[in-house]
Amino acid sequence: MQFADRLNNVETSAIRELFKLLGKPGIISFAGGFPDSAMFDVEGLREASARALQEEPGAALQYGATEGYEPLRTQLAAFERSKGVTDIEPQQLIVTTGSQQALDLIGKTLVNPGDKVIVEGPTFLATIQCFRLYGADVIPAPIDAQGVQVDKLEALIKEHKPKFVYLVPTFGNPSGALLTRERRLKVLELAVKYQTLIVEDDPYGDLYFGDAPPPSMLALSRDVPGSREWVAHCGSMSKVLSPGLRVGWLVAQPELLQRAVMCKQFSDAHTSTFAQATAAQYLKAGRMPATLKRVREVYAERARTMAVALKRELGDAIEFIEPQGGLFFWARLTGAGGKVKDANEFAKRAIEKGVAFVPGAPFFAKDPDLSTLRLSFATAGVEKIEEGLGRLGQAL
Amino acid sequence: MQFADRLNNVETSAIRELFKLLGKPGIISFAGGFPDSAMFDVEGLREASARALQEEPGAALQYGATEGYEPLRTQLAAFERSKGVTDIEPQQLIVTTGSQQALDLIGKTLVNPGDKVIVEGPTFLATIQCFRLYGADVIPAPIDAQGVQVDKLEALIKEHKPKFVYLVPTFGNPSGALLTRERRLKVLELAVKYQTLIVEDDPYGDLYFGDAPPPSMLALSRDVPGSREWVAHCGSMSKVLSPGLRVGWLVAQPELLQRAVMCKQFSDAHTSTFAQATAAQYLKAGRMPATLKRVREVYAERARTMAVALKRELGDAIEFIEPQGGLFFWARLTGAGGKVKDANEFAKRAIEKGVAFVPGAPFFAKDPDLSTLRLSFATAGVEKIEEGLGRLGQAL
């Protein structure tokens, strides 16, 4: 069978090979990119789905509008308003099947084979592959703990004239980095100056541990005249409520949104109305603030535990910035004292000691830093984190 | 903003313009392509979803495998076995976000810009657009009441060397046609002879009114040596259980399935595990046979009513074959007695009289027959069907 050429653009995931080893009994895993199942508000979701089937069974089980289920769009607009996007209306967003689909629709809608797309280096692995499937040439822009470096981003925009710039500004995956308010405003200015779309992927913004992070680029666009039409914002229920619902959303200017809807019509017709009606009822019931408070507290404690244990167990063989939110530590092996510096090699030794993480190389669209690695603190309790880090120390 | 060239391949839907008129109060609509909400087994689905959240909350709300939720794959394999696909195992199918996504994945996996794809003329509108978005040149093959005409299909395969042939063999949309067993076997022989993939879309196969239709091409592939690997079968829960769950499935040979999974990973990661767990519990509870029996009886009565009323009200101004299953009548205006022969004109007059249907032209990938139209009998009760056909008679 002759497959489409676009498949040649995608590499088999190096991570997938590693994940196969995770089935080993007794493994403590820091490899995942998902929230802790134990944190799901099962009772709240049970009530919400029962209410959806009680009050609106026809709508919850029938075909729905490709744009999304109206009561959910209303709730999501209110949710965004509560986070500082003061002027958003329901018709300015569409519901997507997870925010992964929003990325797919952006690729399908905008990317011609050979088009340049700028992402953070490192960035979310599935994004790189998603855009490459549409033929994008994915260019990484360097980051530090304050997110993408704006001067270098500007130089890359000038050089490559990208179709768009994809950023995870708040607690990036895998970097955990937080783009400062100042840089956000500068990026928005670049968007206007170069008439370049900024895709803001924001699945982690609600998971902050101390003070709230700066407002989303979508929210800040009100402070940079002309920038709103150059921001596409991807939101998600996956990290804070439940990934299994597969409810994300996309906010964008009307022309882009209309084409995304046309593409979605032929991608999956619409997102599960059953899941949408459940999410709408959940938000309407007002349970979200308490849920957010709870997950923030639990993840904050786990992140703190991991930071302390990493320093204690790996010392100067590793360097990292303690994240202020999200799910991830991003770290670099220093090779100090002749210790292992290659994260792939370290990952293999770690698996042997019964602990897993993800080497950083696959997160780079180009020129991988082989000494990097990603550790998630989300799914293991504090005791397991202590134990797992002890094992990591031995593996070193 | 500069959008991708692939969007230029898709026309704005003519149907969509018509659907805007459907909001008019008092309209009786035969225009839809969906099942009757009143037929949904709400109680069964409520129990199933409650059980999913009770017994497996972690799995039902967490990220899941891209291939699908294992208990659902097991149930779907059993469902296919009950319909004559005697040797199917769960790993031979993947769960898709509605069968629309299976079509999208087939396009993404197989179609290079300029590739030929053969479909029935007429066929499901969203399929034509879905494949065109990947750059397919869509070629229609002529059909009659027994489905695609095999000798003409063979000539087209020889001439165009298509990437695949897409068929809705059982109660086609919009045709209502039923491909005979003999023709199914011949198509399977063509698949082997020309090493050409046959995509069998089968959302309506369970909705038969009298005797069961011939087995699916997937089931019949056991009788044609070498043909199984040239059949991709798309199944759906949408027409018999609930479209809102967005649960479909794709059966195909391993190479194709593996690539479809890779593409799905970047399309939506996986289908809602909440919806999948609910569907799995529903099937496991054994409620499907009774549900199928009920919907068959109701739709059979509505189809019969429509056939009688069409003959009585429109006489020799219309010709059609009474469907033996599915949701649709496909009809042709004859122009007898100087009556209207253009279905677009007829649709406008009908709307004025308070009744809607869909003109047939958009269902043709090329060379539309402007005298054709599609009427769905699924969503109106028998009294509304009588009343609506009375109005159609006046519109004529």
Side-chain angles (χ1 to χ4, degrees), chain B residues 120-139:
Chain B
E120 288 150 308
T123 192
F124 176 40
L125 185 59
T127 307
I128 301 174
Q129 310 293 7
C130 171
F131 296 152
R132 278 188 182 155
L133 259 177
Y134 292 106
D137 181 6
V138 182
I139 315 275

Side-chain angles (χ1 to χ4, degrees), chain A residues 182-243:
Chain A
E182 193 193 354
R183 287 195 187 177
R184 286 171 197 238
L185 292 170
K186 280 190 186 160
V187 172
L188 289 168
E189 284 161 13
L190 292 183
V192 177
K193 182 173 174 187
Y194 295 100
Q195 305 275 293
T196 297
L197 183 72
I198 308 294
V199 177
E200 175 180 50
D201 193 4
D202 189 26
Y204 309 107
D206 294 309
L207 292 180
Y208 53 85
F209 304 148
D211 294 336
S216 66
M217 313 248 310
L218 178 67
L220 284 176
S221 67
R222 65 168 181 260
D223 297 337
V224 180
S227 66
R228 177 66 171 268
E229 68 172 306
W230 296 106
V231 176
H233 176 93
C234 308
S236 174
M237 285 282 140
S238 293
K239 304 306 189 288
V240 291
L241 183 59
S242 152

Side-chain angles (χ1 to χ4, degrees), chain A residues 205-347:
Chain A
D206 294 309
L207 292 180
Y208 53 85
F209 304 148
D211 294 336
S216 66
M217 313 248 310
L218 178 67
L220 284 176
S221 67
R222 65 168 181 260
D223 297 337
V224 180
S227 66
R228 177 66 171 268
E229 68 172 306
W230 296 106
V231 176
H233 176 93
C234 308
S236 174
M237 285 282 140
S238 293
K239 304 306 189 288
V240 291
L241 183 59
S242 152
L245 290 178
R246 300 274 73 211
V247 168
W249 61 98
L250 172 64
V251 185
Q253 49 109 314
E255 259 198 321
L256 176 55
L257 218 53
Q258 180 209 325
R259 282 162 179 84
V261 167
M262 190 193 72
C263 285
K264 181 171 167 62
Q265 203 182 336
F266 309 121
S267 289
D268 66 0
H270 62 85
T271 297
S272 167
T273 41
F274 183 45
Q276 288 188 76
T278 297
Q281 288 282 2
Y282 188 89
L283 290 166
K284 190 176 154 201
R287 294 182 77 116
M288 195 55 122
T291 298
L292 286 175
K293 184 165 181 292
R294 197 163 45 89
V295 293
R296 282 170 193 153
E297 283 169 5
V298 171
Y299 290 149
E301 187 190 12
R302 291 177 185 177
R304 194 78 262 280
T305 304
M306 183 171 270
V308 172
L310 266 174
K311 276 176 198 147
R312 186 183 63 229
E313 302 291 341
L314 285 86
D316 62 357
I318 200 162
E319 54 182 33
F320 62 90
I321 309 264
E322 186 176 341
Q324 300 165 54
L327 302 177
F328 307 112
F329 275 71
W330 179 244
R332 182 173 286 108
L333 297 169
T334 61
K339 296 283 195 341
V340 60
K341 199 171 183 312
D342 181 288
N344 259 312
E345 174 59 28
F346 187 36

Side-chain angles (χ1 to χ4, degrees), chain B residues 111-155:
Chain B
V111 176
N112 281 325
D115 278 353
K116 305 283 173 62
V117 167
I118 295 177
V119 304
E120 288 150 308
T123 192
F124 176 40
L125 185 59
T127 307
I128 301 174
Q129 310 293 7
C130 171
F131 296 152
R132 278 188 182 155
L133 259 177
Y134 292 106
D137 181 6
V138 182
I139 315 275
I143 65 161
D144 56 30
Q146 282 76 51
V148 73
Q149 298 175 34
V150 179
D151 50 342
K152 290 179 181 157
L153 177 62
E154 178 164 16

Side-chain angles (χ1 to χ4, degrees), chain A residues 1-7 10-11 13 16 33-37 40-42 45-47 49-50 53-54 57-63 66-67 97-98 100-104 107-113 115 125-127 129-130 133-135 163 197 229-230 236 238-239 241-246 253 255-256 259 261-275 278 379, chain B residues 1-7 10-11 13 16 33-37 40-42 45-47 49-50 53-54 57-63 66-67 97-98 100-104 107-113 115 125-127 129-130 133-135 163 197 229-230 236 238-239 241-246 253 255-256 259 261-275 278 379:
Chain A
M1 199 165 293
Q2 191 68 38
F3 296 101
D5 296 338
R6 68 179 66 83
L7 304 192
V10 180
E11 296 138 36
S13 167
R16 191 175 291 206
F34 43 88
D36 188 349
S37 303
F40 296 151
D41 180 7
V42 179
L45 286 163
R46 198 196 57 69
E47 280 175 19
S49 67
L53 289 177
Q54 174 83 34
L61 297 174
Q62 186 57 280
Y63 283 110
T66 303
E67 290 85 348
T97 306
Q100 182 65 46
Q101 189 186 48
L103 302 177
D104 184 60
K108 205 169 187 174
T109 306
L110 288 167
V111 176
N112 281 324
D115 278 353
L125 184 59
T127 308
Q129 310 293 5
C130 171
L133 260 176
Y134 292 105
K163 212 57 179 279
L197 183 72
E229 68 172 306
W230 296 106
S236 174
S238 293
K239 304 306 189 288
L241 183 59
S242 152
L245 290 178
R246 300 274 73 211
Q253 49 109 314
E255 259 198 321
L256 176 55
R259 282 162 179 84
V261 167
M262 190 193 72
C263 285
K264 181 171 167 62
Q265 203 182 336
F266 309 121
S267 289
D268 66 0
H270 62 85
T271 297
S272 167
T273 41
F274 183 45
T278 297
T379 52
Chain B
M1 200 166 294
Q2 190 68 39
F3 295 101
D5 296 338
R6 66 179 69 84
L7 303 192
V10 180
E11 297 139 33
S13 167
R16 191 173 291 207
F34 43 87
D36 187 350
S37 302
F40 296 151
D41 180 7
V42 179
L45 286 163
R46 198 195 55 69
E47 281 176 17
S49 67
L53 289 177
Q54 173 83 36
L61 297 174
Q62 186 55 279
Y63 282 110
T66 303
E67 290 84 348
T97 306
Q100 182 65 46
Q101 189 186 48
L103 302 177
D104 182 60
K108 203 168 189 176
T109 306
L110 288 166
V111 176
N112 281 325
D115 278 353
L125 185 59
T127 307
Q129 310 293 7
C130 171
L133 259 177
Y134 292 106
K163 212 59 180 278
L197 183 72
E229 68 173 306
W230 296 106
S236 174
S238 294
K239 305 306 189 290
L241 184 58
S242 153
L245 291 179
R246 300 276 72 211
Q253 48 109 317
E255 258 197 325
L256 176 54
R259 281 162 180 84
V261 168
M262 189 193 73
C263 286
K264 181 172 166 62
Q265 203 183 336
F266 309 122
S267 289
D268 65 2
H270 63 86
T271 297
S272 166
T273 40
F274 182 46
T278 297
T379 51

Side-chain angles (χ1 to χ4, degrees), chain B residues 67-100:
Chain B
E67 290 84 348
Y69 184 54
E70 215 47 50
L72 178 59
R73 294 173 88 191
T74 301
Q75 289 295 331
L76 291 174
F79 188 52
E80 286 289 356
R81 276 198 295 276
S82 78
K83 298 194 284 177
V85 191
T86 48
D87 57 350
I88 192 170
E89 298 297 330
Q91 67 271 21
Q92 292 173 310
L93 63 84
I94 64 170
V95 178
T96 57
T97 306
S99 60
Q100 182 65 46

